[in-house]
Amino acid sequence: MSDANPGEPGRADDRELLARHVAGDADAFGELVRRHRDRLWAVALRTLGDREEAADAVQDALVSAYRAAHTFRGDSAVTTWLHRITVNACLDRARKAATRRTAPLDDTERLERLLEPHESAEAPAERQDLHRQLLAALATLPAEQRAALVLVDMQGYSVAEVSRILDVPTGTVKSRCARGRAKLVPMLTHLRTDPVDNTTSGRGRNRSQGTPVPPAAESRDPNAVKGGGGRT
């Protein structure tokens, strides 16, 4: 991932905005949030599977990034740094939820909340059901495996990029993805011949053919993620 931001000439790149924030620019961090909020939200939502938890995780991450901006050393892209903080916030929440969970929410009820109103109105019923089954299967994975699969198979990041985001060796990313896919396959085998399963088209850069994990619905509401310091 790069800090280059295509757009109007003279537009500040991510590193410059972060430096301005550290120097006291009150608007710089807000611009960073606007640029990257949607992708951070998508990663959090797909990793945690719950809108409220995802929103809180992104807020936690943005607050942490706001406060720790002075520690950024430039050895990775700002986007990688933000994603790393967000994924760590998600994993922290997933681990805490696992230790305190006594009565899990019904999967169908929870996953229904992931479907956007526009998708529910426009997508065929079969596609909605497919999404529910795939997300339910994904939710059964350990948090670390789920995060790796979300980033690689659903967000389309390369293994090398995910290695930097998760701050683990590439071999660990590959292992987590392989283990996660191996656990998903038995649960999803019955979907392979489904006529609405288009996952073999290879939308993700690193998707293994025959492993049907299409993207989940993303939030289109710019206010869905609460601000993390700075103007949003």
Side-chain angles (χ1 to χ4, degrees):
M1 284 178 287
S2 168
D3 283 330
N5 292 290
E8 62 273 14
R11 187 186 187 195
D13 65 20
D14 290 347
R15 290 172 187 259
E16 182 179 347
L17 284 173
L18 198 61
R20 288 182 184 177
H21 164 63
V22 173
D25 186 327
D27 297 325
F29 194 80
E31 175 60 24
L32 274 177
V33 171
R34 280 188 289 274
R35 288 182 184 181
H36 301 290
R37 175 174 48 200
D38 287 349
R39 295 205 70 156
L40 298 178
W41 164 254
V43 168
L45 180 59
R46 292 164 178 173
T47 300
L48 292 170
D50 180 274
R51 287 185 177 278
E52 184 175 348
E53 285 289 305
D56 287 343
V58 174
Q59 179 178 343
D60 290 347
L62 292 176
V63 170
S64 295
Y66 182 87
R67 293 173 175 170
H70 66 283
T71 68
F72 179 74
R73 296 291 178 247
D75 53 350
S76 65
V78 172
T79 50
T80 299
W81 180 70
L82 289 173
H83 275 74
R84 181 184 303 145
I85 295 172
T86 301
V87 170
N88 284 337
C90 290
L91 295 179
D92 285 344
R93 284 189 166 270
R95 294 185 190 107
K96 290 175 182 176
T99 60
R100 68 173 181 260
R101 187 178 297 123
T102 56
L105 285 172
D106 176 76
D107 278 342
T108 301
E109 177 186 352
R110 178 165 59 85
L111 293 169
E112 284 285 356
R113 295 203 291 260
L114 296 180
L115 293 173
E116 290 299 299
H118 72 271
E119 181 173 349
S120 297
E122 298 173 5
E126 298 88 350
R127 187 64 177 174
Q128 293 180 42
D129 185 60
L130 176 63
H131 273 296
R132 285 194 290 269
Q133 292 183 63
L134 294 173
L135 287 169
L138 190 65
T140 66
L141 300 179
E144 289 80 3
Q145 292 176 13
R146 191 161 67 243
L149 276 176
V150 165
L151 290 166
V152 174
D153 283 358
M154 300 177 77
Q155 293 298 110
Y157 288 113
S158 70
V159 169
E161 288 171 331
V162 175
S163 171
R164 291 190 289 270
I165 290 171
L166 299 180
D167 197 23
V168 297
T170 56
T172 300
V173 175
K174 293 178 182 178
S175 175
R176 289 178 182 177
C177 287
R179 291 176 184 174
R181 292 173 188 137
K183 291 178 182 178
L184 288 179
V185 166
M187 291 183 279
L188 303 177
T189 298
H190 67 288
L191 301 179
R192 286 185 172 183
T193 56
D194 193 300
V196 298
D197 182 3
N198 300 316
T199 56
T200 56
S201 60
R203 276 177 290 180
R205 277 179 285 174
N206 303 283
R207 191 188 308 277
S208 295
Q209 286 200 354
T211 306
V213 187
E218 295 182 20
S219 170
R220 303 298 181 190
D221 182 359
N223 297 316
V225 178
K226 292 169 275 188
R231 185 170 61 85
T232 59

